[in-house]
Amino acid sequence: SRDDQVAVIKEERKRRAAGEADRDASDLRLKEALARLGDAVRESKLSAQEAQHQQDMAAQADERFKEARKKVVELENALVDSQAEVAHEAAQADSLRQRMLTVSHERHAAKAAEMHRALTMARDEAADAQSRIIALEGAARHER
């Protein structure tokens, strides 16, 4: 009968409308999930860039540390050289003092003063070199 057909058609329309509503809701959920996925990908890329930046910074700091350590080694070598020079100067000063005992004091007083001044300057230079080494080691430790 016609009423049955109308009822069937209405029921079919309701089912189609419900299916379209379900499909629209699924499409919306899919779009939202894709947006979240895009956000996660962007965050992941930013995190990877930040990690690379941190890695680059660490590599630069490591290189600066190596350069500072190399400079410390150079200064330590210079200190050893300075200490050897100071020891040599001290030995020369002692030798001069011994000679001064056998020779007139007035005649060699000026030379003794000069040797003493050279010895003092050499010791001051050695102390300065030691101070620079300590400062560089502190800076190197700070860089690490």
Side-chain angles (χ1 to χ4, degrees):
S1 84
R2 181 171 167 78
D3 287 341
D4 289 339
Q5 287 178 346
V6 168
V8 168
I9 290 171
K10 284 183 179 179
E11 188 62 34
E12 182 65 27
R13 285 183 183 159
K14 283 182 186 177
R15 229 176 336 123
R16 283 184 186 168
E20 286 177 13
D22 284 346
R23 189 175 57 239
D24 290 345
S26 292
D27 287 348
L28 180 61
R29 285 192 303 275
L30 179 60
K31 285 179 183 177
E32 289 171 351
L34 287 174
R36 286 192 304 274
L37 180 60
D39 291 344
V41 167
R42 279 187 292 283
E43 286 180 27
S44 175
K45 285 180 180 179
L46 288 174
S47 293
Q49 288 173 347
E50 179 63 24
Q52 182 62 47
H53 177 69
Q54 292 294 331
Q55 190 175 7
D56 292 345
M57 297 278 287
Q60 290 171 2
D62 187 49
E63 189 59 34
R64 285 191 306 271
F65 172 76
K66 287 177 183 176
E67 289 172 12
R69 184 67 192 139
K70 184 177 169 183
K71 184 68 177 176
V72 166
V73 168
E74 289 172 6
L75 287 173
E76 285 173 343
N77 291 338
L79 176 61
V80 168
D81 293 345
S82 294
Q83 288 171 336
E85 188 177 331
V86 166
H88 178 72
E89 292 290 331
Q92 285 184 340
D94 287 341
S95 174
L96 181 60
R97 280 189 211 105
Q98 291 301 321
R99 278 188 272 146
M100 282 176 46
L101 293 174
T102 60
V103 181
S104 165
H105 176 68
E106 276 119 34
R107 211 169 118 193
H108 296 296
K111 260 189 175 179
E114 179 61 32
M115 289 300 290
H116 185 266
R117 190 169 40 242
L119 177 61
T120 301
M121 287 174 56
R123 286 183 181 158
D124 289 348
E125 288 173 6
D128 287 346
Q130 182 69 42
S131 295
R132 287 193 306 258
I133 287 171
I134 290 168
L136 281 171
E137 286 176 337
R141 276 190 235 104
H142 179 70
E143 280 291 324
R144 280 186 266 152

